């Protein structure tokens, strides 16, 4: 689009048309010659005055029913329009552009095949932000010219895009493609892709994107490679997306975005190990964000590499500047660290992180891990106390009371065990086990 704006701005530099002396009535020819001399002397205001005064004499022609003098000749309007554009170039006054547009419009009404007038009219309408009219003028410029310039259709298409008339923009561009396939610049094809995207014709755009990727170099090539890969993913072309992402990582292995994209594709196919491998390479060439660090840790955990997962979660925690603001996230990571160390048979490290987490918040997940760990280590007294704390949470109450009873029983606190089992028997999920434990405890008490 920006390229189009630059070129449209240059249209003011089109050379003025000159006519053979016998093509203009004598009076009109003398007027034009006088105006041209003033233009060459850069006396544009005076040239405008001469041309307007000559046109004003048309009322005399209307009375006499003759036009031999040429007061209303199209070339007077065309030259007058050019003068207004020259004034605009000097002072940047939109009023001059409006007057130029009126003059060029009069010229094409009198001579519809005057291509330069259509071109300059289009340029004026563009500057006045009358884009639909500008588009029409560019089409007329194309149709009226003998050499059929491709850029006129291109500019017409661009003008339609500014009014979001993408359907008409595509129709004009398709006309351009059919008539001038060899003249379409790469930048124009970028515009076509934008039009197709606006109409959600993504599959139709693929052909053009692939060509842009092939022919562009450097930054633009990379931009369109990224767009092409995204389109493959969006259009569910999974095999193409995977093959292309793999190709990109080989062609440009130091570009992080290709490894990240490859990771995304692998994870979408639930190929976690392959996804982790490509993500590790990504981490070598690009610092991980907090979100990416968490994803890396989750992948390690999912791929059964618990100690590496724990270390990566720890890195995530060290990057938190104000953990209080995201307590839930912190507690989630502490939970995962604790479980990861347990899975890696690092019980003491797990317990250490549990204690750190519990200083932040009495989290039931951490309490459960701690209690189970202590029970497994046969530290029944501490386990009993921890299960008791856990029983304060309704979602854990039944299970916590049952385990509290077992811990108290193993610790020799029979009365506490009886109380815990009795309370646990009130929960459907623990009723059978609790009643069995109560029966055993009562038999033991009788024997004693």
């Amino acid at each position: 689009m920006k390229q189009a704006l630059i070129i449209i701005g240059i249209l003011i530099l089109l050379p003025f048309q000159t006519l053979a002396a016998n093509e203009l009535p004598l009076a009109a020819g003398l007027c034009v010659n006088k105006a041209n001399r003033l233009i060459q002397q850069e006396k544009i205001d005076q040239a405008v005055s001469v041309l307007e005064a000559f046109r004003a004499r048309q009322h005399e022609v209307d009375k006499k029913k003759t036009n031999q003098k040429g007061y209303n000749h199209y070339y007077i309007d065309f030259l007058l329009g050019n003068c207004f554009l020259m004034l605009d170039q000097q002072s940047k006054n939109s009023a001059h552009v409006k007057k130029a547009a009126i003059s060029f419009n009069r010229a094409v009404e009198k001579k519809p095949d005057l291509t330069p007038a259509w071109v300059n009219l289009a340029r004026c309408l563009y500057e006045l932000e009358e884009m639909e009219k500008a588009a029409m003028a560019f089409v007329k410029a194309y149709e009226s010219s003998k050499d059929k310039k491709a850029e006129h259709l291109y500019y017409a298409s661009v003008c339609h895009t500014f009014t979001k008339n993408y359907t008409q923009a595509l129709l004009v561009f398709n006309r351009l493609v059919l008539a001038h396939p060899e003249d379409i610049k790469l930048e124009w094809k970028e515009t076509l892709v934008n039009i197709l995207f606006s109409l959600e014709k993504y599959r139709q755009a693929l052909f053009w994107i692939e060509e842009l990727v092939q022919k562009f170099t450097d930054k633009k090539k990379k931009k369109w490679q990224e767009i092409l890969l995204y389109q493959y993913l969006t259009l569910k072309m999974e095999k193409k997306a995977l093959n292309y992402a793999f190709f990109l990582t080989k062609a440009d292995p130091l570009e992080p975005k290709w490894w990240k994209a490859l990771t995304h594709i692998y994870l979408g196919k639930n190929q976690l190990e392959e996804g982790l491998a490509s993500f590790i390479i990504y981490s070598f060439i690009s610092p991980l964000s907090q979100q990416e660090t968490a994803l890396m840790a989750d992948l390690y955990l999912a791929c059964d590499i618990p100690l590496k997962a724990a270390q990566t979660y720890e890195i995530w925690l060290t990057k938190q500047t104000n953990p209080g603001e995201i307590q839930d996230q912190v507690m989630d990571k502490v939970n995962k660290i604790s479980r990861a160390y347990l899975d890696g048979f690092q019980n003491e490290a797990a317990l250490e992180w549990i204690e750190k987490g519990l200083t932040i918040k009495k989290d039931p997940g951490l309490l459960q891990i701690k209690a189970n760990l202590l029970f497994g280590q046969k530290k029944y007294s501490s386990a009993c106390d921890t299960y008791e704390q856990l029983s304060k949470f309704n979602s854990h109450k039944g299970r916590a009371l049952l385990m509290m009873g077992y811990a108290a029983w193993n610790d020799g606190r029979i009365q506490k065990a009886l109380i815990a089992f009795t309370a646990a028997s009130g929960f459907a999920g623990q009723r059978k086990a609790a009643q069995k434990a109560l029966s055993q405890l009562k038999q033991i008490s009788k024997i004693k």
Side-chain angles (χ1 to χ4, degrees):
M1 298 287 182
K2 290 181 179 177
Q3 182 72 11
L5 302 187
I6 293 169
I7 297 173
I8 289 172
I10 293 173
L11 292 175
I12 191 173
L13 301 179
L14 280 170
F16 298 137
Q17 294 290 302
T18 56
L19 301 179
N22 60 4
E23 291 185 54
L24 277 172
L26 178 61
L30 292 173
C31 175
V32 167
N33 287 334
K34 184 176 180 180
N36 276 331
R37 283 196 300 272
L38 290 168
I39 291 169
Q40 290 169 5
Q41 297 169 16
E42 298 185 0
K43 298 177 181 179
I44 312 301
D45 285 324
Q46 293 181 37
V48 168
S49 297
V50 168
L51 292 167
E52 288 187 324
F54 186 77
R55 281 196 74 259
R57 297 182 66 182
Q58 176 63 28
H59 72 279
E60 298 176 10
V61 174
D62 293 339
K63 290 178 181 178
K64 296 177 181 179
K65 306 297 182 183
T66 180
N67 193 20
Q68 295 178 353
K69 301 283 187 179
Y71 298 127
N72 199 30
H73 196 279
Y74 72 86
Y75 192 71
I76 300 297
D77 293 308
F78 176 71
L79 186 55
L80 187 57
N82 280 330
C83 287
F84 283 127
L85 284 184
M86 294 179 75
L87 288 175
D88 174 64
Q89 199 172 39
Q90 292 176 352
S91 62
K92 294 299 177 187
N93 186 338
S94 62
H96 293 318
V97 181
K98 290 179 181 178
K99 290 179 180 179
I102 292 170
S103 297
F104 290 129
N105 198 60
R106 285 198 301 258
V108 295
E109 284 179 353
K110 298 166 187 174
K111 188 171 177 57
D113 62 346
L114 187 59
T115 302
W118 280 117
V119 173
N120 280 355
L121 175 59
R123 187 263 185 183
C124 292
L125 293 168
Y126 169 80
E127 284 209 2
L128 295 170
E129 298 185 1
E130 296 183 39
M131 296 301 178
E132 287 297 324
K133 290 181 179 179
M136 182 275 292
F138 276 122
V139 171
K140 289 290 187 180
Y142 174 81
E143 292 174 344
S144 64
S145 66
K146 293 179 180 179
D147 54 356
K148 304 296 181 193
K149 291 184 178 180
E151 57 262 33
H152 292 159
L153 289 179
Y154 173 66
Y155 300 148
S157 180
V158 169
C159 287
H160 283 305
T161 66
F162 284 118
T163 61
K164 302 188 185 304
N165 190 351
Y166 300 113
T167 299
Q168 191 62 33
L170 182 58
L171 287 173
V172 175
F173 211 111
N174 284 340
R175 182 178 179 183
L176 168 62
V177 171
L178 289 172
H180 306 277
E182 301 301 321
D183 297 330
I184 304 175
K185 301 175 184 178
L186 282 179
E187 291 78 9
W188 297 5
K189 293 174 183 178
E190 289 184 286
T191 301
L192 175 56
V193 172
N194 289 330
I195 292 169
L196 291 169
F197 277 4
S198 298
L199 293 169
E200 299 183 359
K201 296 180 180 292
Y202 301 113
R203 285 194 179 273
Q204 192 175 333
L206 272 182
F207 169 82
W208 299 101
I209 299 172
E210 288 171 343
E211 183 180 350
L212 291 171
V213 166
Q214 182 182 2
K215 293 183 178 178
F216 268 131
T217 58
D218 301 327
K219 289 183 179 180
K220 278 208 167 185
K221 184 181 189 72
K222 187 170 289 187
K223 167 196 166 185
W224 286 106
Q225 285 175 328
E226 192 171 2
I227 291 172
L228 179 57
L229 180 57
Y230 178 78
Q231 288 306 305
Y232 284 150
L233 290 170
T234 303
L235 296 171
K236 309 295 184 185
M237 303 171 73
E238 296 178 358
K239 187 174 180 180
K240 271 204 165 187
L242 179 58
N243 290 339
Y244 191 54
F246 192 74
F247 162 78
L248 290 172
T249 59
K250 297 301 179 185
D252 189 6
L254 296 181
E255 176 51 62
K257 66 179 66 173
W258 305 146
W259 292 104
K260 188 173 182 179
L262 186 59
T263 300
H264 174 78
I265 294 168
Y266 277 132
L267 296 184
K269 296 167 68 68
N270 204 34
Q271 295 178 247
L272 301 185
E273 292 183 0
E274 291 84 352
L276 175 59
S278 58
F279 204 37
I280 289 172
I281 297 174
Y282 169 77
S283 71
F284 290 154
I285 55 181
S286 177
L288 296 182
S289 66
Q290 279 294 79
Q291 186 177 3
E292 290 169 342
T293 302
L295 174 60
M296 175 78 82
D298 289 343
L299 284 174
Y300 276 127
L301 204 58
C303 292
D304 198 23
I305 312 175
L307 295 183
K308 196 67 179 175
Q311 293 166 8
T312 309
Y313 286 128
E314 287 174 352
I315 292 171
W316 185 93
L317 286 171
T318 61
K319 292 181 180 179
Q320 292 304 311
T321 56
N322 191 356
E325 292 183 0
I326 47 174
Q327 189 182 85
D328 289 344
Q329 292 184 47
V330 171
M331 292 306 297
D332 174 67
K333 299 303 181 291
V334 171
N335 260 292
K336 288 178 176 178
I337 291 172
S338 304
R339 295 178 188 277
Y341 275 126
L342 280 177
D343 291 343
F345 305 104
Q346 301 289 325
N347 292 350
E348 292 305 318
L351 194 56
E352 182 181 337
W353 273 100
I354 289 168
E355 296 296 354
K356 287 180 182 179
L358 291 174
T359 60
I360 299 172
K361 178 183 177 182
K362 290 296 181 186
D363 180 77
L366 290 180
L367 285 171
Q368 183 172 5
I369 297 172
K370 178 182 176 181
N372 292 342
L373 185 58
L374 291 170
F375 191 92
Q377 293 175 339
K378 298 184 179 181
K379 297 178 180 179
Y380 298 118
S381 179
S382 297
C384 180
D385 294 341
T386 307
Y387 281 126
E388 188 168 12
Q389 294 177 53
L390 183 60
S391 70
K392 307 300 181 185
F393 296 89
N394 290 333
S395 59
H396 295 266
K397 197 173 187 68
R399 177 69 179 170
L401 287 169
L402 180 66
M403 292 306 298
M404 176 183 165
Y406 287 132
W409 187 359
N410 280 283
D411 194 40
R413 291 189 278 175
I414 304 302
Q415 189 60 36
K416 193 172 187 70
L418 286 168
I419 295 171
F421 284 134
T422 301
S425 66
F427 293 85
Q430 287 74 40
R431 182 173 295 119
K432 187 175 180 180
Q435 288 176 346
K436 182 178 179 181
L438 283 170
S439 177
Q440 290 175 332
L441 274 177
K442 288 175 182 178
Q443 288 179 0
I444 291 170
S445 299
K446 285 179 182 179
I447 293 172
K448 288 183 178 180

